[in-house]
Amino acid sequence: MFKRILFLAAPLVAAFVSFFAHAVDVNAADEAGLRAIKGIGPAKARAIVEERATGGPFMDAGDLSRRVKGMGGQTVERLRAEGLTVGSQT
């Protein structure tokens, strides 16, 4: 019975660990860290870091979307699915 539970739980645990191992906080990451997220290139990473430096930390995904040009709601949601986090939000 225990082996069966372990067999069924192993893929879920692996997916959970994989997701959080690749999480990148937009308020803490440098340009290289942001570029590790699929969909963020050098120019967008630079824009995020510059906006954070001038306007302070991002409060939530909506704040990121409003303050960084080209980061509409759908783009931010896609990046969040790739592992981008805003503070303690996932």
Side-chain angles (χ1 to χ4, degrees):
M1 179 73 169
F2 179 72
K3 286 183 179 180
R4 185 175 182 174
I5 292 172
L6 184 61
F7 177 74
L8 295 173
L12 294 174
V13 171
F16 181 80
V17 170
S18 175
F19 173 77
F20 285 103
H22 294 95
V24 174
D25 182 4
V26 72
N27 287 321
D30 59 5
E31 287 185 39
L34 291 168
R35 286 195 321 261
I37 297 292
K38 181 180 175 185
I40 297 181
K44 192 59 62 188
R46 189 173 319 108
I48 291 169
V49 170
E50 288 175 358
E51 177 57 35
R52 185 179 67 207
T54 59
F58 298 100
M59 302 306 292
D60 55 29
D63 189 33
L64 174 64
S65 179
R66 285 186 296 277
R67 290 171 47 191
V68 179
K69 185 178 178 181
M71 296 284 284
Q74 289 180 346
T75 300
V76 171
E77 288 307 312
R78 183 179 46 77
L79 294 173
R80 289 178 71 192
E82 292 293 334
L84 186 70
T85 63
V86 182
S88 62
Q89 296 179 351
T90 56

